[in-house]
Amino acid sequence: MSVAVDAVRHLAGTVGPRPATGAAYARAARWATRQLERSGYGVRPQVVDVPGGVSWGVPVPAGRSVNLVAEPAGLEPEEPHLVVGAHLDTVPQAPGAEDNASGVGVLLAVADAVATRRTRLPVVFVLFGAEEPRGPSDADHHYGSRRYVRSLPPRQRAAVRGMVSLDRVGVGTVVPIGSAQAGPDPVADSLQAAARRTGVPVVRGYDRSSDHWQFVLAGLPAARIGSTPYAGYHSPQDTPDVVDPAQLERVGRLVLAWLAGAR
């Protein structure tokens, strides 16, 4: 997972805080685009209009952010495929190593790995803008994933066979798998099965506080990986030393096994 570790160090150590409509976010998006293109993906920017508000106690202006949609060569978007996502933005006061350079780093590492190996279905990788809150309610965040889901025509929406959101994945020794609804969850179940195959320790929970929730609201199967509590959450202390490379490696193995499917 050296790709993931390097991403955490660059995004949180060099770029720093990346509010969704600011210049630092734009720098991070350009850097991430280059990484995905080097792995062989076509990267399509998708503009996201974002309202002003208050992000974790700090006023933030309205403006535009961007999703980065990375598609493998030859993708037929109306044919069955999987989606792996992670949000690229941070709250204004945090360098965002765990939240969420960790998720971005694992996404980039997995995208690079599967560029040259077979997966059970084609995979679209999406870096979302404007996940972080801009108000007090659940409706005041996830703007990038909301934009992405709403942009899908009906046949493309129906082609999404599963989505995983990588959000705060670099802390702890056990990997959280979060379901956004009670009852059966085919994505969480398949992630747990992949964990058993690879020996990755996991814990199941209930979680709507990431980009997978916008997919579930649209009737699409989705789950979250990540969310272990840590002291530096949404603070200036969310620096690269918070993130454990061994946990990034566990999450990467889990996602790769999920993408490969049962063998």
Side-chain angles (χ1 to χ4, degrees):
M1 282 287 128
S2 61
V3 170
V5 172
D6 289 346
V8 170
R9 290 172 178 166
H10 178 77
L11 290 171
T14 301
V15 178
R18 305 174 295 284
T21 59
Y25 183 88
R27 288 197 299 275
R30 289 193 295 270
W31 176 84
T33 296
R34 292 194 297 270
Q35 309 314 304
L36 289 162
E37 288 177 340
R38 287 171 186 163
S39 295
Y41 295 87
V43 181
R44 172 169 54 88
Q46 183 180 58
V47 172
V48 181
D49 290 317
V50 189
V54 176
S55 184
W56 210 251
V58 179
V60 285
R64 286 187 160 181
S65 191
V66 64
N67 295 331
L68 303 177
V69 183
E71 299 172 338
L75 176 77
E76 295 290 345
E78 294 184 355
E79 295 297 320
H81 63 274
L82 303 170
V83 177
V84 175
H87 73 87
L88 186 58
D89 64 311
T90 69
V91 294
Q93 65 270 51
E98 171 67 349
D99 189 13
N100 184 39
S102 64
V104 174
V106 172
L107 182 149
L108 293 174
V110 169
D112 189 60
V114 303
T116 55
R117 72 173 73 174
R118 179 179 290 275
T119 54
R120 58 190 164 97
L121 290 172
V123 187
V124 175
F125 294 94
V126 188
L127 293 176
F128 296 112
E131 187 271 349
E132 295 291 2
R134 290 186 165 233
S137 79
D138 287 343
D140 297 317
H141 58 168
H142 303 157
Y143 294 99
S145 51
R146 191 182 312 171
R147 168 77 170 93
Y148 178 79
V149 171
R150 290 179 178 176
S151 75
L152 298 175
R155 292 183 63 178
Q156 290 187 31
R157 187 174 296 195
V160 176
R161 293 293 190 265
M163 183 272 181
V164 168
S165 176
L166 302 172
D167 193 348
R168 290 172 40 205
V169 300
V171 168
T173 59
V174 176
V175 178
I177 298 174
S179 295
Q181 56 191 354
D185 185 331
V187 176
D189 290 346
S190 61
L191 284 167
Q192 190 165 17
R196 285 194 296 268
R197 294 195 300 273
T198 55
V200 173
V202 297
V203 60
R204 292 281 293 268
Y206 178 75
D207 192 330
R208 292 182 172 181
S209 59
S210 188
D211 290 305
H212 67 300
W213 175 228
Q214 296 302 318
F215 288 76
V216 173
L217 282 174
L220 300 176
R224 174 181 178 172
I225 294 177
S227 77
T228 301
Y230 67 111
Y233 178 63
H234 281 188
S235 81
Q237 285 70 53
D238 192 3
T239 52
D241 58 295
V242 167
V243 174
D244 182 359
Q247 184 74 334
L248 298 179
E249 192 274 335
R250 291 182 197 100
V251 173
R253 278 197 289 130
L254 173 57
V255 177
L256 287 171
W258 180 72
L259 295 176
R263 294 186 183 275

